Amino acid sequence: MFFVQVWEIVVKYHSYLLKGMGTTLLIALIGTIVGLVIGLLTGIVRTTPFSKNKLLCGLHKTLNSIISVYIEVFRGTPMMVQSMVIYWGYAFLNGGSTLPLIPAGIFIVSINTGAYMAEIVRGGIISIDKGQFEGAYSVGMTHFQAMMQVVIPQVMRNILPSVSNEFVINIKDTSVLNVIGVAELYYMAGAIKAINFQTFQTYTVVCVLYFIMTFTVTRILRLIEKKLNGKANYTICGSQSDSHAEIHVHEQEES
Amino acid sequence: METVISIEHLEKSFGDHKVLLDVNLSVGKGEVISVIGSSGSGKSTMLRCINLLEEPTGGVIRYKGEDILSLNTSKYRTHVGMVFQQFNLFENMSALENCVRPQIKVLKRKRAEAEVVAREYIDKVGMSAFINARPSQLSGGQKQRIAIARALSMNPEVILFDEPTSALDPEMVGEVLDVIKSLAKTGLTMIVVTHEMAFAREVSDRVIFMDGGIVLEEGTPTELFGNPKKPRTREFLSRFLNG
Ligand SMILES: Nc1ncnc2c1ncn2[C@@H]1O[C@H](COP(=O)(O)OP(=O)(O)OP(=O)(O)O)[C@@H](O)[C@H]1O
Ligand SMILES: [Mg+2]
């Protein structure tokens, strides 16, 4: 009986469910990417040494304070509440006209994720050996060049697992956007239940779908991480006796 | 002889801790200077001040007559390179790229040109076989040789070495010292902080003994090792010679 009903939901409402999944993935993906960009920008700003120029230093300190407040507020309040405040705050300030839903959802997830990414990126930058900066300075790179050429590429590799984790969290947490009516997967479940009154069956389907998404995404990201960890071998070119000889050196694969 | 670097009454404190009290030193073009002294005497701090990795708290350092604080720091550092005890190779780049990228980004050279320069110096330090290796795949001695090639690729006037062999296993010290010795013959100006007394004696034109934040004694290797004038120098050297 139960399985038949579940199957009927899948068959009957598959277009709603797929659309909901698409919206969920879209918002989670863009939100994670934009959040990472916010994290990188704030991380670079906060780890840049203060300028000797009084005015620039003052501006920098102000900016740092604003970033700290942003991080504290967005990490210290639920995204569901943030959604309501931002969505209806915009309407309040604009004479009742509301934001289009999907862009609003992307904005909310991005800015929320950004607050977490800010800490992840900053930790990533701080944990890079100071010698990497000094090596870059010693050949004449500016702080910004050292950051972009040497440090950030290493940070990106190191924080990839945390970024993947944020993406998976976002897939699940976009469900709170149903409070402002974004038609993501959880919202679709509510809509289907309102038609068939089969609450348990409907949410079971949605539960499985969420799991399929997070499981698949986790595996894909893990593969990418492995790829990015680089080849564990390199080629020694041209031995002295035979210039065509190539010696392949394999490193012990890190576990 | 043209003076390349002159240090006048250099002071450096970290908070209340005075590390350099009054350092005076003049380095001529093509000179090879070894800096010796006990741990904590301020050798690294002096070198880092010359490269502006530390900002002096007093005195003046001049590069070809100009106060280095009045120069563009980035540009100045392309003239005065540095080789570190811990190598500080860029972990995200191959050996070749370590030598190429700084030329492209800082000297604005074209990639093709930068690669020619890099390969030439990598060859000079005997590392041609390893251009594609990542730093994590190289031994300490190999890393240091690439670090030297990286510094050379910027075509600097001066290279500062801060204990370039102190982090190496004993069997790798020789390969790095050989490279530095060969550079000494090319007319490159070098200041080498080292604990390798035989090396200092063999290659340097002048040896500086630092103690308690000042240059206590300086002279040719023969003078300083053969006939040290100050008791502190004698004590330091005898400690070294007697192991
Ligand atoms: N960034 C810093 N902050 C505070 N104190 C420092 C700093 N760098 C160096 N010092 C102090 O300055 C003193 C001199 O250090 P320095 O590294 O110049 O000595 P050194 O002669 O190079 O010694 P070693 O042979 O051990 O390398 C030491 O007492 C050290 O603790
Ligand atoms: Mg030192």
Side-chain angles (χ1 to χ4, degrees), chain B residues 4-71:
Chain B
V4 181
I5 286 178
S6 73
I7 302 175
E8 300 157 18
H9 306 295
L10 173 64
E11 295 170 27
K12 175 66 189 176
S13 320
F14 294 101
D16 294 338
H17 183 29
K18 283 196 171 161
V19 176
L20 299 180
L21 302 181
D22 181 14
V23 174
N24 294 281
L25 179 67
S26 163
V27 185
K29 194 169 165 61
E31 248 194 315
V32 177
I33 294 187
S34 293
V35 181
I36 60 172
S38 51
S39 184
S41 58
K43 305 180 298 293
S44 298
T45 305
M46 177 185 76
L47 225 53
R48 293 168 60 82
C49 284
I50 298 175
N51 203 253
L52 285 179
L53 286 174
E54 301 290 354
E55 198 180 321
T57 45
V60 194
I61 301 175
R62 293 182 195 283
Y63 174 72
K64 296 190 170 170
E66 294 195 69
D67 184 344
I68 59 172
L69 290 174
S70 72
L71 301 172

Side-chain angles (χ1 to χ4, degrees), chain A:
Chain A
M1 191 57 202
F2 171 75
F3 291 104
V4 175
Q5 288 169 336
V6 162
W7 182 244
E8 274 173 7
I9 291 170
V10 171
V11 172
K12 207 163 168 191
Y13 301 107
H14 70 272
S15 65
Y16 290 98
L17 293 168
L18 282 176
K19 218 164 156 243
M21 283 168 81
T23 305
T24 291
L25 283 174
L26 179 78
I27 295 176
L29 182 64
I30 299 181
T32 307
I33 292 169
V34 177
L36 176 59
V37 172
I38 294 174
L40 287 169
L41 292 176
T42 57
I44 290 170
V45 169
R46 286 199 299 163
T47 53
T48 296
F50 290 120
S51 163
K52 261 179 274 170
N53 179 316
K54 279 243 168 66
L55 182 66
L56 281 180
C57 176
L59 280 175
H60 189 176
K61 283 186 173 161
T62 314
L63 196 54
N64 281 1
S65 313
I66 294 171
I67 294 171
S68 299
V69 170
Y70 156 65
I71 293 170
E72 293 286 335
V73 168
F74 277 86
R75 281 163 53 112
T77 54
M79 190 156 79
M80 195 185 275
V81 179
Q82 291 163 17
S83 308
M84 293 300 273
V85 170
I86 290 172
Y87 187 73
W88 294 110
Y90 179 90
F92 177 79
L93 294 174
N94 288 278
S97 73
T98 53
L99 285 162
L101 283 168
I102 292 190
I106 290 173
F107 178 78
I108 290 159
V109 175
S110 299
I111 196 163
N112 178 277
T113 309
Y116 289 91
M117 292 287 192
E119 294 294 77
I120 292 170
V121 172
R122 190 171 84 122
I125 293 173
I126 289 172
S127 69
I128 297 289
D129 179 17
K130 219 169 104 260
Q132 294 290 304
F133 278 106
E134 295 197 338
Y137 296 156
S138 77
V139 290
M141 287 193 199
T142 60
H143 179 78
F144 188 69
Q145 284 176 323
M147 206 50 125
M148 300 313 283
Q149 300 299 322
V150 178
V151 176
I152 292 297
Q154 297 181 47
V155 169
M156 290 293 276
R157 231 180 81 168
N158 294 347
I159 66 173
L160 198 66
S162 310
V163 174
S164 307
N165 193 36
E166 285 298 314
F167 182 35
V168 171
I169 289 175
N170 279 340
I171 291 174
K172 296 182 287 178
D173 286 5
T174 44
S175 57
V176 306
L177 294 173
N178 84 89
V179 293
I180 57 170
V182 178
E184 37 65 52
L185 184 56
Y186 184 85
Y187 179 91
M188 291 302 190
I192 295 167
K193 177 205 71 179
I195 303 170
N196 67 8
F197 301 107
Q198 296 173 343
T199 309
F200 174 51
Q201 294 86 329
T202 305
Y203 283 96
T204 304
V205 170
V206 165
C207 183
V208 170
L209 291 179
Y210 271 113
F211 183 74
I212 290 172
M213 284 195 286
T214 55
F215 186 83
T216 318
V217 164
T218 310
R219 298 302 123 147
I220 292 172
L221 290 172
R222 211 170 282 171
L223 269 181
I224 295 175
E225 278 164 34
K226 269 230 176 99
K227 266 257 165 65
L228 281 189
N229 275 336
K231 289 188 304 215
N233 55 42
Y234 64 98
T235 308
I236 293 184
C237 329
S239 87
Q240 271 143 355
S241 48
D242 174 6
S243 62
H244 297 293
E246 289 192 337
I247 307 159
H248 294 273
V249 180
H250 295 266
E251 262 194 6
Q252 207 78 31
E253 188 132 8
E254 286 169 77
S255 52

